[in-house]
Amino acid sequence: IEMPPVSPVGYLSDFSQWVNSNVKYSEQMLKDKTEGEVIISFAVDKTGKITNRKVIKKLSPDADADALRILSNTRRWTPGKHNGRKIKTTMMITVRYVLPEK
């Protein structure tokens, strides 16, 4: 890839920070003291739309659903380019769940 896709908040590291700042704990996750990581993969198609959202590493049903929820709230990206043409690009990020301090 000559140019990787760019999210509305910046490159992948910026997007990962944005995702992690939008984590929401469900009542069940708080009750179960759920902590850990969810790894999600997704594709940015030629139009910048996010497709093929998948949980690669699961944590709990609520955490997995939350990670996909955050991804679905993303606006269009600038698609990646190779040889001057827009291409579909598959990406992965880690979503971290750390219990909020009381």
Side-chain angles (χ1 to χ4, degrees):
I1 294 180
E2 292 170 354
M3 187 186 99
V6 181
S7 80
V9 296
Y11 287 99
L12 191 58
S13 61
D14 300 317
F15 179 68
S16 187
Q17 286 178 348
W18 177 82
V19 166
N20 281 290
S21 70
N22 282 283
V23 162
K24 289 189 178 156
Y25 264 79
S26 68
E27 290 298 321
Q28 189 64 48
M29 290 168 66
L30 291 170
K31 183 179 164 190
D32 295 342
K33 298 183 176 12
T34 302
E35 287 193 305
E37 298 177 340
V38 176
I39 298 176
I40 51 178
S41 76
F42 59 96
V44 178
D45 72 11
K46 294 176 184 182
T47 68
K49 184 178 174 188
I50 296 220
T51 62
N52 301 352
R53 295 181 284 261
K54 284 186 239 175
V55 175
I56 302 297
K57 179 182 176 242
K58 296 179 179 193
L59 177 61
S60 77
D62 286 357
D64 300 347
D66 184 58
L68 293 173
R69 173 197 64 81
I70 297 167
L71 204 56
S72 69
N73 287 335
T74 305
R75 295 188 320 266
R76 270 193 204 273
W77 289 46
T78 301
K81 287 187 178 180
H82 189 71
N83 293 331
R85 294 172 47 200
K86 295 176 184 177
I87 59 166
K88 181 177 180 179
T89 309
T90 301
M91 310 180 85
M92 286 185 8
I93 61 167
T94 300
V95 184
R96 290 177 179 80
Y97 289 86
V98 179
L99 283 167
E101 294 182 24
K102 292 186 178 185

